[in-house]
């Protein structure tokens, strides 16, 4: 995560004009396809009754998590809300452990006790997975305070959505982060519809990148469907935070293809609107076009697709065969012995 910080609209630049290596293109293609195929399978398992509770899919938003993660360094933290599977995979969590957590099995990342919304993995710096709208913003600010206190040079990447952007604790966190110049990058994933109400109908102001203006926090709007625009903005924001200047806001203009959760039929928008985004702005298609322009053969792309398919199938198999948690697990991870 490095580069000089500035406030602009990085979505105005096209990835095709950037000098990007073939290896970098293949890496981001692979990571985004993994999230897409994983989420598609998770949706199928939910429909089969193998995943209980709530399940919020990240399909369409893959470029945000992958682009942000590309700018991270060891020791940085990620914390988000309940649309979290993509962030886990981008952070490097084992797909088998993530899928097994969805099915409530002992092999899951939280031993089958957290489910879709409450996963955690200290090794990859993933701090959840939180079910209360906006609650993670204060926690992410606390992670940044720990980084500031330790002087370790790390940054807290704190994600929340357009729906959470009107929550009171968000602004309490903004104030504290700017007051103490905490190293936190607030990433607002604006997928336009929150839980089912368009941003224009729910917010008096719709430029979410400027929500920190009254606190003096800089921000910028980014094309969240372009993994390279995301990465470049992440580098600017992280360098700003790491240098001791304080928090930075990135509004990612993105779009979710599915409903808010698996139980949402998404009748508040038209099929034509969704299809248009899929046709004109899909983040994976965008990378695939760049690969073709770079002269990458279809066979190489197909090989990655087949590899990802095998990884996801293995995760599905593990998620169905891993044992359920022992009843004794009800009494573990309740208190921390200190």
């Amino acid at each position: 995560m490095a580069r000089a910080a500035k406030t602009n609209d990085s979505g105005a630049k096209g990835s095709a004009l950037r000098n990007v290596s073939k290896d970098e293109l293949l890496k981001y293609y692979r990571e985004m396809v993994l999230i897409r195929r994983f989420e598609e399978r998770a949706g199928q398992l939910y429909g089969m009754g193998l995943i209980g509770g709530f399940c919020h899919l990240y399909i369409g938003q893959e470029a945000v998590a992958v682009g942000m993660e590309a700018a991270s360094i060891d020791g940085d933290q990620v914390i988000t809300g309940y649309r979290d599977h993509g962030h886990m995979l981008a952070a490097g969590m084992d797909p088998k452990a993530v899928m097994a957590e969805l099915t409530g099995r002992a092999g899951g990342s939280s031993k089958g006790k957290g489910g879709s919304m409450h996963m955690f993995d200290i090794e990859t710096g993933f701090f959840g997975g939180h079910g209360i709208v906006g609650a993670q913003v204060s926690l992410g600010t606390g992670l940044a305070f720990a980084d500031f206190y330790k002087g370790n040079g790390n940054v807290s990447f704190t994600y929340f959505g357009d729906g959470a952007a009107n929550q009171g604790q968000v602004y309490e966190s903004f104030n504290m982060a700017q007051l103490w110049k905490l190293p936190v990058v607030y990433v607002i994933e604006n997928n336009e519809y929150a839980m089912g109400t368009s941003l224009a109908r729910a917010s008096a102001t719709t430029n979410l990148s400027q929500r920190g203006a009254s606190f003096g926090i800089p921000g910028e709007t980014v094309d969240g469907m372009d993994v390279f625009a995301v990465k470049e903005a992440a580098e600017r924001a992280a360098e700003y935070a790491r240098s001791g200047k304080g928090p930075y806001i990135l509004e990612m203009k993105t779009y979710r293809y599915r409903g808010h959760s698996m139980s949402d039929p998404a009748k508040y928008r038209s099929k034509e609107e969704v299809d248009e985004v899929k046709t004109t702005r899909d983040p994976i298609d965008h990378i695939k076009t760049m690969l073709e322009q770079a002269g990458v053969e279809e066979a190489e792309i197909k090989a990655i697709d087949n590899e990802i398919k095998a990884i996801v199938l293995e995760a599905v198999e593990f998620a169905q065969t891993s044992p359920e948690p022992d009843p004794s697990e009800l009494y573990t991870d309740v208190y921390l012995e200190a």
Side-chain angles (χ1 to χ4, degrees):
M1 299 177 182
R3 297 281 192 292
K6 61 181 178 179
T7 300
N8 67 5
D9 185 345
S10 59
K13 296 181 288 185
S15 291
L17 301 179
R18 303 183 183 112
N19 184 20
V20 179
S21 71
K22 169 187 169 182
D23 288 343
E24 195 173 9
L25 286 170
L26 289 170
K27 177 179 185 294
Y28 300 146
Y29 177 78
R30 183 186 185 282
E31 292 174 355
M32 288 195 289
V33 170
L34 173 60
I35 295 172
R36 179 73 58 91
R37 301 297 172 249
F38 182 97
E39 292 289 67
E40 289 170 348
R41 280 289 182 169
Q44 291 175 3
L45 293 182
Y46 188 92
M48 296 165 62
L50 297 175
I51 295 176
F54 293 100
C55 186
H56 306 81
L57 303 180
Y58 202 62
I59 297 173
Q61 299 183 212
E62 297 89 352
V64 177
V66 171
M68 291 299 302
E69 187 63 31
S72 69
I73 65 173
D74 289 344
D76 288 342
Q77 306 101 355
V78 172
I79 188 167
T80 187
Y82 41 72
R83 195 178 309 281
D84 52 0
H85 313 153
H87 299 85
M88 301 170 197
L89 296 173
M93 288 177 64
D94 183 352
K96 295 195 298 293
V98 177
M99 193 70 84
E101 188 61 36
L102 292 178
T103 58
R105 303 304 179 101
S109 62
S110 297
K111 304 178 185 177
K113 299 186 290 184
S116 173
M117 298 191 291
H118 302 104
M119 298 196 210
F120 181 91
D121 186 58
I122 192 67
E123 291 184 6
T124 58
F126 183 77
F127 285 79
H130 293 271
I132 304 299
V133 175
Q136 74 278 9
V137 180
S138 299
L139 298 176
T141 305
L143 290 170
F145 178 74
D147 292 330
F148 170 78
Y149 188 80
K150 296 173 182 177
N152 57 20
N154 286 124
V155 168
S156 166
F157 292 97
T158 300
Y159 293 79
F160 57 101
D162 49 299
N166 293 321
Q167 292 286 320
Q169 68 267 30
V170 171
Y171 300 95
E172 294 178 22
S173 299
F174 283 179
N175 181 64
M176 186 175 292
Q178 179 69 340
L179 183 66
W180 293 339
K181 303 299 183 186
L182 301 183
V184 54
V185 175
Y186 295 110
V187 186
I188 306 175
E189 296 193 77
N190 179 5
N191 62 26
E192 301 186 27
Y193 286 100
M195 290 182 68
T197 304
S198 70
L199 180 66
R201 294 182 60 211
S203 295
T205 59
T206 57
N207 185 349
L208 303 183
S209 71
Q210 299 305 305
R211 286 298 181 90
S214 63
F215 304 99
I217 302 175
E220 62 180 282
T221 300
V222 184
D223 182 358
M225 306 298 272
D226 180 342
V227 68
F228 292 101
V230 174
K231 177 178 179 289
E232 290 169 3
E235 289 173 338
R236 290 191 293 272
E239 174 59 24
Y240 184 95
R242 275 188 227 288
S243 67
K245 296 177 181 177
Y248 200 99
I249 295 172
L250 295 176
E251 178 193 6
M252 298 293 173
K253 299 296 285 291
T254 185
Y255 197 85
R256 56 171 169 78
Y257 294 169
R258 303 290 184 91
H260 172 68
S261 69
M262 286 296 295
S263 59
D264 172 21
K267 292 184 178 179
Y268 40 81
R269 59 186 183 181
S270 68
K271 180 179 183 298
E272 289 73 22
E273 176 184 308
V274 179
D275 289 343
E276 182 181 4
V277 175
K278 289 180 178 180
T279 302
T280 62
R281 298 177 58 204
D282 185 80
I284 295 176
D285 285 349
H286 179 54
I287 284 282
K288 194 169 184 178
T289 297
M290 294 181 71
L291 284 167
E292 292 168 353
Q293 292 173 345
V296 177
E297 295 184 1
E298 180 66 26
E300 190 169 358
I301 298 174
K302 191 67 175 178
I304 293 175
D305 293 340
N306 290 335
E307 176 196 359
I308 296 304
K309 181 179 179 180
I311 290 172
V312 173
L313 286 175
E314 182 183 16
V316 170
E317 176 68 18
F318 181 77
Q320 295 182 78
T321 57
S322 179
E324 294 187 355
D326 188 273
S328 64
E329 285 290 347
L330 287 169
Y331 306 100
T332 63
D333 305 315
V334 178
Y335 294 103
L336 173 66
E337 295 290 340

